[in-house]
């Protein structure tokens, strides 16, 4: 059982993982480089553990010690207990959920392994699982949108997610929180070169469908009716959608029909519609 360690100094080096959580640019640099991510709140911490991520440490206010007792008892990591004011000083915001955990990242799998379904999650034993529907997110920079899109993917049966090099970090605290921990349960990785890497989909037998507003596109209903056995759905950045190069790499252009003078949906909302319409 891990013991509770009371910390009273906000500059205590043992709290280094939790410093400056509101500084997005700092955390975007630090967390991947230091091999960690932050799980916030009881449910997210539990889901990270269930997914097989190892805990580095936990930061709690006293009233959460009983709530998290079973997690603490299983933890092979230090558990720091602090006053709420100290937690706020360290993190930069009021930690109203009362519990944070620093979790260890795992090496990202290759895109080929993700497409083959080979042991891509921390808790997965080496095995092959059928991968039929894949989402590609190009250059999504908003962590809330990315977290919501991951939650949609998990809820609507998408087998894997691939991110372009400039996409936001799905393990950043806000993305994890918005996804309600779904980022831990959908196999994902980051492509190394985009859209040059798009050829890998054909190599693995996938048809690629790019969501866009072009008049030459087919409707989502038409795409769904074709019942492609293996399908990649490509969604673009929040402002401009998919890049011209990404569109050129796709087999199909697809639109979601709109009415009421609205030309498009938020990318997270569009992903939910597309994932639902193309479910097996």
């Amino acid at each position: 059982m891990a013991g509770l360690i009371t910390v009273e100094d906000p500059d205590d080096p043992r709290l280094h993982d939790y410093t400056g959580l509101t500084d997005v640019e700092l955390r975007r640099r630090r967390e991947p480089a230091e091999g960690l991510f932050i799980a916030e709140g009881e449910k997210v911490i539990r889901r990270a553990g269930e997914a097989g991520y190892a805990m580095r440490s936990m930061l709690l206010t006293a009233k959460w010690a009983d709530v998290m007792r079973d997690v603490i008892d299983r933890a092979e990591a230090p558990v720091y207990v602090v006053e709420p004011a100290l937690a706020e000083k360290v993190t930069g915001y009021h930690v109203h959920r009362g519990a944070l955990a620093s979790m260890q990242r795992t090496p990202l799998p290759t895109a080929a392994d993700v497409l083959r379904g080979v042991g891509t999650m921390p808790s997965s034993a080496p095995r092959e699982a059928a991968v039929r529907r894949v989402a590609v997110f190009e250059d999504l920079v908003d962590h809330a949108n990315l977290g919501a899109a991951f939650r949609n993917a998990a809820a609507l049966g998408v087998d894997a997610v691939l991110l372009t090099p400039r996409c936001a970090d799905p393990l950043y605290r806000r993305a994890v929180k918005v996804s309600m921990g779904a980022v831990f349960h959908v196999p994902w990785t980051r492509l190394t070169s985009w859209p040059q890497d798009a050829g890998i989909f054909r190599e693995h037998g996938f048809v690629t469908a790019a969501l866009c507003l072009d008049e030459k596109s087919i409707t989502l209903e038409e795409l769904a009716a074709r019942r492609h056995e293996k399908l990649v759905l490509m969604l673009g950045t929040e402002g401009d959608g998919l890049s011209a190069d990404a569109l050129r790499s796709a087999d199909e252009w697809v639109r979601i029909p709109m009415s009421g003078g609205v030309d498009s949906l938020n990318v997270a909302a569009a992903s939910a519609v597309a994932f639902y319409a193309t479910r097996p």
Side-chain angles (χ1 to χ4, degrees), residues 17-94:
D17 285 0
Y18 305 97
T19 57
L21 294 187
T22 57
D23 188 331
V24 177
E25 289 304 316
L26 172 65
R27 299 303 301 197
R28 285 176 63 183
R29 293 193 304 271
R30 269 190 57 192
E31 292 186 11
E34 296 178 17
L36 67 94
F37 68 90
I38 299 297
E40 179 180 5
E42 177 192 359
K43 290 182 180 179
V44 171
I45 292 171
R46 291 182 185 279
R47 289 171 183 171
E50 290 164 1
Y53 289 96
M55 185 181 294
R56 292 162 58 108
S57 68
M58 192 183 302
L59 181 70
L60 302 173
T61 55
K63 71 176 184 178
W64 282 87
D66 287 339
V67 176
M68 303 297 293
R69 174 53 60 185
D70 61 313
V71 177
I72 293 169
D73 288 347
R74 292 193 303 270
E76 297 181 4
V79 180
Y80 304 119
V81 179
V82 299
E83 291 296 322
L86 189 142
E88 184 170 352
K89 190 167 185 178
V90 170
T91 63
Y93 73 105
H94 176 59

Side-chain angles (χ1 to χ4, degrees), residues 118-164:
V118 179
T120 54
M121 301 301 290
S123 59
S124 298
R127 62 182 178 81
E128 291 199 14
V131 175
R132 300 297 179 211
R133 275 195 313 158
V134 174
V136 172
F137 297 128
E138 182 188 60
D139 298 354
L140 268 65
V141 296
D142 185 278
H143 291 98
N145 279 339
L146 188 60
F150 262 90
R151 189 174 183 182
N152 295 339
L156 298 169
V158 171
D159 299 309
V161 170
L162 297 183
L163 307 178
T164 64

Side-chain angles (χ1 to χ4, degrees), residues 133-140 160 162 164 191 194-199 201-202 206-213 220 223 231-237 241-256 267 270-271 274-275 278:
R133 275 195 313 158
V134 174
V136 172
F137 297 128
E138 182 188 60
D139 298 354
L140 268 65
L162 297 183
T164 64
L191 296 162
W194 179 257
Q196 291 83 353
D197 287 342
F201 302 124
R202 285 194 189 89
F206 286 88
V207 171
T208 54
L211 270 72
C212 63
L213 304 178
L220 185 57
L223 176 69
L231 179 65
V232 172
L233 294 165
M234 298 163 49
L235 295 103
T237 187
L242 287 165
S243 65
D245 287 341
L247 289 171
R248 280 191 288 268
S249 75
D251 299 312
E252 304 272 15
W253 290 5
V254 183
R255 70 182 184 278
I256 300 173
V267 64
S271 73
F275 298 160
T278 59

